[in-house]
Amino acid sequence: MDVQGWLETVPAVSIYLLVGVVIGVESLGIPLPGEIVLVAAALLASQQGHINPYILAACASAGAVAGDSTGYLIGRKGGRPLLAWLARKFPKHFGESQVGTAERSFEKWGMWAVFFGRFVALLRIFAGPLAGVLKMPYWKFLTANLLGGVVWAGGTTLIVYEVGKVAEAWLKRFSYLGLVLAVVIGVASMLVVKRRAKKSAEKRAEEQAADEAVPVPSGTAD
């Protein structure tokens, strides 16, 4: 059986569940490549007629909203000790500089940090737990969570799907190799975005540390 034929035998429900679970777990606060899985699944849907893009988008959105909501409840109950535990388990994602950057974003933007956090790799895993730790009112969190989850997960799915359909003729000329190349390009794009977000976060953390290190001049003595 060729790859094209094998892909057609993969049950659509398994794709829906995989996307929903991975995005849900990532939104819960556990670092997983949610955006990579989402892009790959949307590209697959554009080439496989048995995968409904709207159901895929709905599952992705549901996973995002449910994961963030669960993360919020855990963060509200766990508080600061939870962040300390996460820092020990995932130092690259929950280190002091990352947490500091996320907290400053929440202090500045409030509920909109939850919404826009969907589109930033660093904030995506922080949004739910940190909103709970900071005791953001749940109605504000839920509003931003619903809007952000639907716009990010659903929107990304449908946009990538449409792009895949436009490129369908080109992909068919190269059979499964074209599909693999498209997935690689999608994954590479997401990695570049994540790397830039990480560098930006580190730069802001360094600037913040430098500002805090500058001594405050004392008053002039009489």
Side-chain angles (χ1 to χ4, degrees):
M1 181 183 295
D2 60 7
V3 174
Q4 187 77 9
W6 177 80
L7 288 174
E8 292 176 354
T9 66
V10 177
V13 66
S14 65
I15 302 296
Y16 302 147
L17 288 174
L18 174 64
V19 170
V21 169
V22 171
I23 290 179
V25 172
E26 181 193 39
S27 301
L28 181 66
I30 299 177
L32 286 180
E35 69 275 9
I36 294 175
V37 172
L38 183 60
V39 169
L43 284 172
L44 181 61
S46 71
Q47 304 305 309
Q48 302 298 320
H50 67 294
I51 300 176
N52 189 308
Y54 296 101
I55 296 178
L56 181 64
C59 290
S61 300
V65 174
D68 247 11
S69 295
T70 304
Y72 173 89
L73 296 175
I74 293 175
R76 193 172 182 89
K77 183 176 181 179
R80 293 287 176 178
L82 174 64
L83 293 180
W85 179 82
L86 288 171
R88 292 193 298 270
K89 293 293 183 180
F90 307 103
K92 292 183 179 180
H93 297 85
F94 288 89
E96 184 177 346
S97 62
Q98 290 88 340
V99 172
T101 298
E103 284 189 294
R104 287 190 291 274
S105 298
F106 269 72
E107 291 172 358
K108 182 176 182 180
W109 300 105
M111 63 182 288
W112 292 110
V114 177
F115 177 85
F116 290 112
R118 280 290 172 195
F119 304 89
V120 180
L122 174 65
L123 289 179
R124 189 177 303 124
I125 61 174
F126 275 113
L130 190 57
V133 170
L134 298 178
K135 292 182 169 49
M136 176 184 291
Y138 185 68
W139 71 268
K140 289 186 176 182
F141 171 80
L142 182 60
T143 300
N145 185 26
L146 283 171
L147 291 174
V150 171
V151 173
W152 174 73
T156 298
T157 300
L158 297 179
I159 290 173
V160 174
Y161 173 81
E162 291 300 329
V163 170
K165 293 300 291 183
V166 170
E168 184 175 8
W170 180 83
L171 291 172
K172 283 183 176 179
R173 294 165 61 186
F174 296 91
S175 186
Y176 69 90
L177 291 178
L179 178 60
V180 171
L181 180 60
V183 172
V184 169
I185 292 174
V187 170
S189 299
M190 289 300 166
L191 290 176
V192 169
V193 171
K194 290 182 71 174
R195 179 172 295 181
R196 288 182 176 178
K198 181 179 178 181
K199 288 183 178 179
S200 178
E202 291 175 347
K203 182 178 180 180
R204 286 195 296 269
E206 291 174 357
E207 292 175 349
Q208 179 70 16
D211 291 341
E212 293 175 352
V214 175
V216 178
S218 59
T220 304
D222 293 335

